[in-house]
Every structure is written in structure tokens, then in C-alpha cells.
Amino acid sequence: MAAPHWAARPRRFWISCEGGKHPRAPAPEPGPPARPRGPGSGAGAWAYGMTLNSRLNRWIDAIIFDLARQVRWSFLPPLMIYFAFGFSGLTAIVGTFFVKDYLDLSAATLAGLAFWAGIPWALKMPLGHLVDIIWRWKWLLVWLGAAMVGLSMFIMYLLVMQRAMMEGIMSANSWYIASLLIAPSGLVIQDAVADAMSVEAVPKIDRSGAPLPEDTQKAMHTTMQTLGRIALISGSVMVALLNIYMFSGIESMGEADKAHIYARIYLLALGIPLLSVSGIVLAGVQKRKVLRDLRRRGLDIAISGQTDEKTVLNPWYFIGGAGFVALTLMIGLSDIRFGQEIIFTGSMAIVLLMMRQLIAALTPAQARSLVGTALIIFAFRATPLPGPGLTWFEIDVLGFDQQFLSVLSLIVAVLTLIGMVILRPMMARHSIIWIVVMLTLAAGILSLPNIGLYYGIQNWTAPLTGGIVDARFIAIIDTAVESPLGQVAMIPMLAWIARNAPTHLKATFFAVMASFTNLALSASALLTKYLNQIFEITREVRDVASGSINVAADYAHLGWLLLAVTAFTVGLPLIMVFMVQRSRLRSSD
């Protein structure tokens, strides 16, 4: 955005003062050379202060006011669905402690479950195409997704409060796994609709009916996707605040009281589906209002992008989806060795076939740039995580309780919101490649505090600082610095997809590209599982009835696990960037 007309005045005034001349002033009499006058003296100091003030004003304008100028009421419906998605994390901490205290699932098993929970997101391809085909009836899909999310939360509520009854039907582990898989299936349905709604939410014309300039639409698409991430993280902020309140004093409670708190949280989570349903209702009201205004002013509805343009059914998207489901069920139910790996490989082949169908509508240059960028984003998201063993170590050894973990979640959410707003101009100025490289290097540096905590750095820093820089202080500082980085890399990619998505294939375009990048999360889960199998971590598991120890805690290999994760986190994305940028897929977007 061009600087305001007043922004450059102080600098021009400063230069004229420093030079000692003015166009209308007479030439000065010859005299002794003037002493240098820098920013700290006389008129130069005043002008320098004005320059800093104007730069600050421009920075504030770019960060806050420019964002506010680009917001439209049409952005609100998809933002409500995204907010509901973020709010669905309300049960994350409860689930962590429920698994730790009541179930006997190993770290490797939980990492494997993360793989299965990520698989529904690869189904966004046929779902996205279905959204485009039945766009007028998209509200049905949102209601279906809301029902599935509600069912998942209700299962966990009953499992906490009526465990004996639930175990009379099937085991607690089976109920937990069912709930774990149902929730993401409902969320992915809603997300496919919200992605397409985020494209439609950006207007194509102004109030007079004139087409908006391309730069203006590009800026609004970036704003829309940034606000989508903000809405999602805002849901996480609400989650953290509620968890801090709900978990207050829980460390001194008995098991029965803790169970009642867990149950109340799952009951609150039943309100999540209402948020997404409200968003789709509001979208319908807004669309009718826009069409009514266009007709009143005698404008062509087609130029607004609000028409229900017919999407020609492409059977390949459904064939690919059906093949994916068949492959998943066949391998998953057969308990074949390396089943997850086979499913991942087959899913990747299907997604790549669908991508080929989609990019056929792009120019060769656009297609190459898109593929190169997608590969880099894939490598960035495919890096492994430590897994649940690190959280168990923090709980058992470092003494982090439910409330403190909620505080960390709040810090992550709030600073992610602030970071995305502040970094938005940077994302507009720099390429996706530059952003990924910087975030990769930052992630490597920010993995060091967790490694230090395992090796006892807090035992050295706490005595030197009078107990201030202890384990919790280090965890808070690390979380505060790291929090904004995870969401930043996706915003430029989402904005690119939104800008280039054909009007009649907006959901399909989003879904195929999202399926590819979300498969990276499945790759991340597989790498996490492999590392947890190599460096095995166990937490203490006691028999509920007798209190005897069934599995002893063993964190001896956690240090090597953290070092291996850091090596993958830094090496994998940088190697992919190097390979792509030296090939025909080189991207400058």
C-alpha cells in the first residue's frame, strides 16, 4: 500500500533543514564551515523525531488500520466456522490427562492414532468437489459435521461419567478411539465448506458495481486468510481461558472431583456445533441481502460472484475418494503389517492424480510454481514432533499440572494472534520460500529450550537467578517466542489458493491442495511414530483397583528423541527448498 501523502513530509523537511537551503530563501553569506548537525542537535533533532514518528505511524497503519480497512461483513460466516474449529480444542488437555490416568495406550499407539485422526482430512478432495456441486445446499454438510462433532463430545462425556455402562458395550480404549476419529471427520466436512465460503466472502465489485483492482482483491484475500487463522486461534484463546478457570485448584482434588471437571468440559464442548451452524445461517442471510441490493440498483448479479454457478461433475474426484476409502478400510481392517505406510502411499498417489486434474486449468508457469511451493510446504509440515512422551515428562518430572499447561496454551494462543497481525505485512512483502526458510531456522533454535529442560538446565539457571529462571519460566519464555511461528507459513499458501481458485471450483481447489499439505501431517505422524519406536518412552501406569505399577516410567531416551526431532525439523525443509529452487519448479511467489 502506498504511504499516506503526509508520511514523507518530515523527511523532506529534515533534508531541507540539514542542507541549510530553501527554494525561496536567499543564498547564505560565505562563512566558516558549519558544524555537522546530526539527529541529536537543533532542527535536525526535531526533524529526526518527526521522521521516527511518521515511520511509527506508517507501521501502525500497516499493522492495524490497513487490516481494519480490508475487513468486510461477508468475512464473518466462515470466520465463525473457523472459530468453532479452534474452540474444538477445548477437550485437548482433558483428553491428555484422561488417556494418561485412565487408559493404557502407549506413546507409539497414540502416535499411530494421530495418523488415523489425520486421514479424514485427505478426504477433503471428494468433499470439496461435492461442496461445489451442491453449493446451494452446503448448509446440510455443515449440519452433518456439527452432529458428528457433538456425538464425539457426548461419547467422551459418557465415558467419564458412565464408564461402567460404556464398557458394558465395548472397551474404554475403543470408545476413546471412536471419539477421536469421529470428531475430525465432522470438522473436515465443515472446513471444506468454510474454505469455499472464504473465497466467496471477498467481494469482486465495489458499491458502484465497478470491478475491484487485482491488488485490492489480493490484499483482501490475504486478510481473509489471516483472519481465518486469527478466528481459529481465538477459539484456542477461549479454550485456554476456560481451562485455566476450570482447572483452578485441581491439583488438590480427588479423582472423583477431577472426573466431574472433565465431564463439565465435555458438556461445554457440546456448544461447539452451535457456532458453526450459526455461521452458515448468517451466510444465507447475507447472501440474500446482497442479491436484493444488486437487483434494487439494477446491477448484473453475475459480476458480483454471488451466483450459484453450475459445477460440472468430474468423476475422478469421487473415484479417487472412493479408492482412498476402500484402501483405508481394506488395509486398516486386515491388520496387515505396515498398513499405515501402505495407506499413506496410496493416499499420496490418489492426491497427486487429483492435483494433476486440477492444475490442468492453470498455465504451465502457474502449475510449476504451485507444485514447487506445495512441495516446500509439505516438507515444512511433515517434520516430526516429540510425541506425548515430552508432555508426560513435563507432568511427571517437571511437575507441570493441568492449570499450568492451560496457561501455556493461553500464551500460545494470544501471542499467535499478535504475531500473525504483526507479521502480516511481512507475509505480503516476502515470498513463501523466504518465510519457510526463516521459520525453519527459528524452529531449530526454539527446540533448544526443551532439550535443555530434559538435561536439567533449570537446575543451573534457578540457583543463579534466585529461583526465577526455573523450569516453568523457561517453558513460558520458549512458548512465548515460538507460538506465532506455526500458523504463519500457511497464510501465504492459503491466500495464493484463494486468489487462483476458479469460481466454480473454489471448494475443489482448496480441498485438493489442502489434502496434499494435510497428508504432510500424516507423514509427520508416521515419522513421530518411528522415532517413538526407536527411542521408546513410557510413563507410569498403575492398576486402577490395586494401585500396583503395571508399567514403570522410563524417560531415558527422551533426550535422543528431542535431538532427532530437531535434526529433522531443520534439515527436511531446507533440503527441499534447495532441491526445488534448483529445478524447473522454482517458485518466486
Side-chain angles (χ1 to χ4, degrees), residues 4 30 36 94 99 116 121 188 212-213 220 277 292 326 328 330 343 348 368 397 410 420 565:
V94 172
V99 170
W116 289 105
W121 293 95
V188 70
L212 289 172
M220 283 195 290
V277 168
R292 186 171 60 250
T328 302
M330 180 178 64
I343 292 174
M348 179 61 74
R368 287 194 297 268
V397 179
L410 178 62
M420 284 191 296
V565 167

Side-chain angles (χ1 to χ4, degrees), residues 436-496:
V436 167
V437 170
M438 290 299 103
L439 293 181
T440 298
L441 296 176
I445 295 172
L446 293 173
S447 66
L448 298 179
N450 281 331
I451 297 174
L453 285 174
Y454 172 76
Y455 287 106
I457 190 174
Q458 67 276 11
N459 299 328
W460 175 66
T461 57
L464 291 178
T465 58
I468 296 176
V469 185
D470 59 2
R472 294 195 175 200
F473 182 90
I474 294 173
I476 288 174
I477 296 301
D478 177 55
T479 300
V481 177
E482 184 181 11
S483 53
L485 303 182
Q487 292 286 338
V488 169
M490 284 304 296
I491 293 176
M493 180 73 173
L494 293 172
W496 191 96

Side-chain angles (χ1 to χ4, degrees), residues 75-134:
F75 293 0
L76 186 57
L79 293 181
M80 293 176 69
I81 300 178
Y82 287 136
F83 180 85
F85 188 3
F87 198 71
S88 66
L90 177 64
T91 59
I93 293 178
V94 172
T96 298
F97 280 87
F98 181 83
V99 170
K100 180 181 179 297
D101 296 337
Y102 297 104
L103 303 180
D104 56 354
L105 299 171
S106 67
T109 300
L110 290 172
L113 287 176
F115 170 85
W116 289 105
I119 288 297
W121 293 95
L123 281 173
K124 284 190 71 174
M125 293 182 304
L127 283 173
H129 199 51
L130 178 64
V131 170
D132 283 326
I133 293 172
I134 62 169

Side-chain angles (χ1 to χ4, degrees), residues 147-195:
M148 296 178 73
V149 173
L151 176 62
S152 173
M153 301 305 170
F154 191 59
I155 287 174
M156 290 305 301
Y157 170 77
L158 292 177
L159 193 57
V160 173
M161 294 303 296
Q162 303 291 334
R163 180 165 180 167
M165 180 195 72
M166 298 293 280
E167 287 184 327
I169 303 173
M170 60 183 183
S171 68
N173 286 355
S174 299
W175 279 116
Y176 173 76
I177 293 171
S179 174
L180 189 69
L181 298 180
I182 290 173
S185 299
L187 291 172
V188 70
I189 293 173
Q190 295 184 337
D191 194 62
V193 179
D195 286 343

Side-chain angles (χ1 to χ4, degrees), residues 381-404:
R381 304 192 81 192
T383 53
L385 300 173
L390 177 59
T391 304
W392 296 342
F393 174 81
E394 292 172 342
I395 295 170
D396 290 342
V397 179
L398 301 181
F400 293 177
D401 55 25
Q402 292 96 324
Q403 189 176 38
F404 181 70

Side-chain angles (χ1 to χ4, degrees), residues 77-79 81-82 85 121 124 128 131-132 135 138 142 187-202 221 224-225 228-229 232 490 494 497-499 501 505-515 517-518:
L79 293 181
I81 300 178
Y82 287 136
F85 188 3
W121 293 95
K124 284 190 71 174
V131 170
D132 283 326
W135 183 243
K138 58 185 178 293
V142 175
L187 291 172
V188 70
I189 293 173
Q190 295 184 337
D191 194 62
V193 179
D195 286 343
M197 290 171 64
S198 72
V199 178
E200 189 181 58
V202 175
H221 275 299
M224 176 68 245
Q225 298 307 320
R229 301 302 97 186
L232 192 151
M490 284 304 296
L494 293 172
I497 294 172
R499 293 197 311 271
L505 289 174
K506 46 188 177 292
T508 307
F509 202 91
F510 250 107
V512 172
M513 298 310 303
S515 295
T517 54
N518 284 327

